[in-house]
C-alpha cells in the first residue's frame, strides 16, 4: 500500500533549483504531527543517506553537504513536507525518498523521485 508520495523531481542544470513535495496518504498518518519526517537520497551502489530531518517538535537538521542550500519544511494540516533545493550540484543527483517515523509505528518510505543535476 502506498503510504508516502513524493513529487517535484526532474532534470535541472548545475546551480538550478527544485522543490520536492511529499504527501502522507494513509489513515495511519491521521496524527501526522506526531511523525518525525525526513528526506533521504540514494545513488546506485551507495547507501541511502540522510539529507534533512524535521521532527514532530519542529527541530531541523541537515547533512553538511546541503547546509545553506536546502530547506526542509512541513505543513501538518495538509500532511505534507517539502524540500527546497537551491544551487544544485551534480553531487545532489539521486533518488530522493520521503520518510516518516515514530517509535510506535516504525518507519515508512515513499517510492522516491529522481533528481538529476547536469553540469
Amino acid at each position: 500500500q502506498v503510504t508516502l508520495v513524493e513529487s517535484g523531481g526532474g532534470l535541472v542544470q548545475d546551480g538550478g533549483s527544485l522543490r520536492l513535495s511529499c504527501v502522507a496518504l494513509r489513515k495511519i498518518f491521521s496524527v501526522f504531527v506526531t511523525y518525525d519526517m525526513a528526506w533521504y537520497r540514494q545513488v546506485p551502489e551507495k547507501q541511502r543517506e540522510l539529507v534533512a530531518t524535521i521532527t514532530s517538535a519542529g527541530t531541523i537538521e541537515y547533512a553538511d553537504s546541503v547546509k545553506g542550500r536546502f530547506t526542509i519544511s512541513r505543513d501538518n494540516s495538509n500532511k505534507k513536507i517539502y524540500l527546497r533545493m537551491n544551487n544544485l550540484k551534480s553531487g545532489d543527483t539521486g533518488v530522493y525518498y520521503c520518510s516518516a517515523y515514530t517509535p510506535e509505528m516504525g518507519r515508512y518510505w515513499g517510492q522516491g523521485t529522481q533528481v538529476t543535476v547536469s553540469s
Side-chain angles (χ1 to χ4, degrees):
Q1 283 183 305
V2 175
T3 56
L4 300 166
V5 178
E6 303 95 337
S7 62
L11 174 64
V12 64
Q13 288 190 330
D14 193 40
S17 298
L18 286 173
R19 190 179 82 151
L20 305 183
S21 300
C22 169
V23 61
L25 294 181
R26 288 178 60 191
K27 286 184 67 176
I28 55 174
F29 296 113
S30 60
V31 193
F32 180 78
V33 68
T34 66
Y35 282 81
D36 293 340
M37 303 298 297
W39 288 98
Y40 287 75
R41 68 186 177 196
Q42 189 168 22
V43 297
E45 301 182 352
K46 287 192 175 181
Q47 281 193 325
R48 196 169 293 188
E49 65 169 339
L50 180 62
V51 174
T53 63
I54 182 165
T55 69
S56 58
T59 301
I60 291 174
E61 292 187 356
Y62 297 99
D64 288 342
S65 60
V66 307
K67 282 181 183 176
R69 301 188 297 121
F70 290 13
T71 303
I72 189 171
S73 58
R74 65 190 296 162
D75 175 359
N76 290 327
S77 60
N78 290 303
K79 301 181 183 179
K80 290 184 174 181
I81 66 167
Y82 303 95
L83 186 68
R84 177 67 182 179
M85 305 185 294
N86 294 327
N87 191 21
L88 283 160
K89 306 174 183 179
S90 57
D92 296 317
T93 293
V95 179
Y96 283 70
Y97 296 91
C98 176
S99 166
Y101 172 81
T102 69
E104 298 79 18
M105 299 299 292
R107 188 174 297 280
Y108 295 90
W109 294 97
Q111 294 179 308
T113 184
Q114 175 71 45
V115 171
T116 304
V117 184
S118 65
S119 56

